[in-house]
Amino acid sequence: MGDLIGIGLLILISALFAMSEIAIAASRKIKLRVMADEGNIKAAAVLKLQEKPGAFFAMIQIALNAIAILGGIVGEQALSPYVESVLTIFYQGPLLEQMSFILSFLAITSLFILFADLLPKRLAMILPEAVAVRVVTIMRWVTFALTPLVLFFNGVTNIVLRLFNVPAEREDIVTTEDIVAMMDAGAEYGSLQQQEYDLIGNVFDLEARFLSSVMSPRDQIVYFDIKEASADISSKIIDHPHNHFLVCNGNLDKLIGSVESKDILRQVLKGEAANINDDLLEKDIFYLPETLSLSEALNAFKGAAKPFAVVVNEYALVVGIVTVKDLMKGFMGDLITHTGDELIIERDENSWLVDGLTPIVELAKVLDVDEFPDQMHYETVAGYLIYMMKRIPKRAEYIQYGGFKFEVVDVEGIRVEQLLVSKIAAATNTASGHI
């Protein structure tokens, strides 16, 4: 009976070590750091153990192998007499002893596989952090008790790893891909709401998107000429109720400053003629290069404390204007504002009307396309067509990519105004085509 109790104790001890090995290895550092920040001392101990796991794993292997050897020695002696006494009821031949040994061996092996290996490891995989914080103290004491053996085997292991030019310790760096994978898993299982998922995904796009994807382009800028008539100024304010207007001397490349519409409206309310004078003119214009990413532009706005910026190219020519609201819409979208001017209109489940100025990343999300070809060379859907065709496309021309057909619906001068994007039967990738 004592041997059977010994086998039970060996199985329990082996289960503890097997469970500890998997739990500490599988525990997520992000979750452990959160627990440690909340004051969980044992979570901090698990993190420390993960940073230098060599000694811990050496101890685990020493313990598990010792238990396995003891289990084999004790197990066969413990069960063989009982198995033999049962077998004598059915068989008393010359092979009785051998059969008892084989059945005892199979029984002990099965018990160890089931209760000392599979079940504890499954439990540790399901609840790695919870198990790890409960066993870490015991594991640290056992590691300390086996210090001589741990140092020897861990040292030999490190020498072998260095001989093969393999790092002795794991570098745990959380990459963007890791975070995206966690987001996908959270969205799939419902722990991350769709709005949260979209917002976090858009934040990662801040470095990949440039000002040209959110700014109002040059031809859409409404500005005042310094010599503009009072009636024209009033008419522009009525037709385009913006907070600020640029003031130029002839054209946009000769900027003088900016003016707030409320200052001009104040003149009108006083019964005066709307005009732009030096008292109303703000000559300190905030400029940003078009090569800035959205993240860099946000930082620039933070330092400048300006409501808008004039976007210029490398030749110091004005290419657009951008506001803080434009930047916020770039990664928050309809969470902060909603306008009636939809850039992407779904006609049915297989086709969309798309504005030529639509950022290519936004269209990629709608179509569930991972990435368009050479995406770093353009920002908008119109830019994608021009890049692929190597010229200004004409009406009714199209290209195919990723199972979609991109057909030009409307062209205004040299600008692609609108496209029809539709699914095609076979997913073919074609550089260009025409009807």
Side-chain angles (χ1 to χ4, degrees):
M1 182 61 67
D3 289 339
L4 292 178
I5 295 174
I7 286 295
L9 287 174
L10 287 175
I11 290 175
L12 288 175
I13 296 171
S14 180
L16 175 64
F17 283 106
M19 186 166 55
S20 302
E21 179 184 22
I22 295 299
I24 290 176
S27 293
R28 292 162 291 186
K29 285 196 172 184
I30 294 176
K31 192 166 185 178
L32 289 172
R33 286 195 182 99
V34 172
M35 294 169 66
D37 292 340
E38 292 174 349
N40 193 320
I41 299 174
K42 292 184 177 181
V46 176
L47 282 169
K48 189 175 180 180
L49 197 60
Q50 286 182 335
E51 290 174 1
K52 294 184 178 181
F56 167 71
F57 285 117
M59 177 275 295
I60 289 288
Q61 294 308 311
I62 292 170
L64 288 177
N65 282 281
I67 293 170
I69 293 170
L70 284 174
I73 295 172
V74 176
E76 189 273 330
Q77 295 176 352
L79 286 184
S80 287
Y82 297 99
V83 173
E84 187 173 342
S85 64
V86 173
L87 281 178
T88 53
I89 301 174
F90 307 99
Y91 178 74
Q92 293 86 25
L95 299 176
L96 179 62
E97 185 176 346
Q98 290 85 345
M99 292 175 64
S100 300
F101 172 79
I102 292 172
L103 290 174
S104 299
F105 172 78
L106 291 175
I108 291 295
T109 303
S110 299
L111 287 172
F112 269 87
I113 290 174
L114 182 60
F115 294 105
D117 200 54
L118 290 181
L119 285 176
K121 285 184 177 180
R122 286 284 296 275
L123 178 62
M125 286 297 294
I126 294 169
L127 302 167
E129 293 82 19
V131 173
V133 296
R134 284 171 173 78
V135 301
V136 64
T137 302
I138 298 174
M139 293 301 107
R140 292 175 70 185
W141 279 109
V142 176
T143 303
F144 177 77
L146 298 176
T147 297
L149 290 174
V150 168
L151 290 175
F152 172 74
F153 286 106
N154 191 40
V156 172
T157 302
N158 288 337
I159 291 172
V160 173
L161 290 174
R162 290 191 184 97
L163 287 174
F164 289 95
N165 199 27
V166 178
E169 297 177 5
R170 181 180 71 176
E171 286 189 23
D172 242 345
I173 301 174
V174 179
T175 64
T176 301
E177 289 75 15
D178 296 330
I179 299 174
V180 170
M182 292 173 63
M183 286 167 46
D184 292 339
E188 182 179 351
Y189 291 104
S191 59
L192 194 66
Q193 299 300 316
Q194 185 62 42
Q195 283 188 335
E196 297 170 335
Y197 177 80
D198 292 338
L199 179 58
I200 297 172
N202 288 341
V203 169
F204 283 113
D205 288 337
L206 289 179
E207 284 295 337
R209 294 178 60 182
F210 296 91
L211 276 178
S212 55
S213 67
V214 298
M215 71 180 185
S216 298
R218 180 187 177 102
D219 61 349
Q220 293 183 9
I221 298 176
V222 181
Y223 62 92
F224 296 144
D225 191 286
I226 191 65
K227 301 174 183 178
E228 194 139 19
S230 175
D232 294 334
I233 293 175
S234 300
S235 177
K236 283 185 178 180
I237 293 178
I238 294 172
D239 294 337
H240 308 280
H242 301 313
N243 293 327
H244 297 82
F245 290 85
L246 293 178
V247 180
C248 311
N249 185 8
N251 60 65
L252 275 173
D253 297 317
K254 296 180 180 179
L255 287 180
I256 299 175
S258 65
V259 64
E260 288 192 65
S261 56
K262 66 180 182 180
D263 292 333
I264 297 177
L265 289 174
R266 193 177 290 116
Q267 290 179 333
V268 175
L269 291 174
K270 289 180 179 179
E272 302 173 2
N275 64 81
I276 302 168
N277 52 50
D278 289 340
D279 294 335
L280 304 182
L281 200 60
E282 173 60 53
K283 297 183 179 180
D284 184 16
I285 300 176
F286 180 39
Y287 292 95
L288 288 177
E290 64 175 342
T291 53
L292 288 187
S293 66
L294 298 191
S295 177
E296 293 168 334
L298 279 171
N299 288 331
F301 268 104
K302 182 179 178 181
K306 295 287 186 178
F308 71 94
V310 176
V311 183
V312 295
N313 62 16
E314 60 184 309
Y315 303 105
L317 299 178
V318 175
V319 295
I321 190 170
V322 65
T323 66
V324 177
K325 185 177 179 181
D326 294 330
L327 293 174
M328 297 298 289
K329 284 175 61 180
F331 70 94
M332 294 192 72
D334 291 341
L335 291 178
I336 60 169
T337 182
H338 180 78
T339 64
D341 300 327
E342 299 289 345
L343 294 177
I344 303 175
I345 301 174
E346 184 176 2
R347 297 173 69 240
D348 53 50
E349 62 180 9
N350 293 316
S351 64
W352 300 262
L353 280 174
V354 181
D355 191 288
L357 294 177
T358 304
I360 196 68
V361 293
E362 297 298 329
L363 183 62
K365 292 176 184 177
V366 173
L367 302 182
D368 196 21
V369 174
D370 291 334
E371 189 174 3
F372 284 89
D374 301 327
Q375 195 168 309
M376 72 291 296
H377 293 292
Y378 45 86
E379 291 287 338
T380 65
V381 180
Y384 166 58
L385 263 71
I386 294 170
Y387 178 80
M388 297 301 292
M389 291 187 177
K390 309 302 180 187
R391 56 180 172 80
I392 304 298
K394 299 177 181 179
R395 188 176 180 182
E397 289 188 321
Y398 66 89
I399 62 174
Q400 296 179 4
Y401 177 77
F404 295 94
K405 178 180 177 182
F406 301 82
E407 182 180 351
V408 179
V409 174
D410 188 21
V411 178
E412 183 69 29
I414 60 173
R415 190 175 74 186
V416 179
E417 293 281 351
Q418 197 172 58
L419 300 89
L420 175 63
V421 180
S422 54
K423 287 184 180 179
I424 52 181
T428 57
N429 296 339
T430 305
S432 62
H434 56 84
I435 294 177

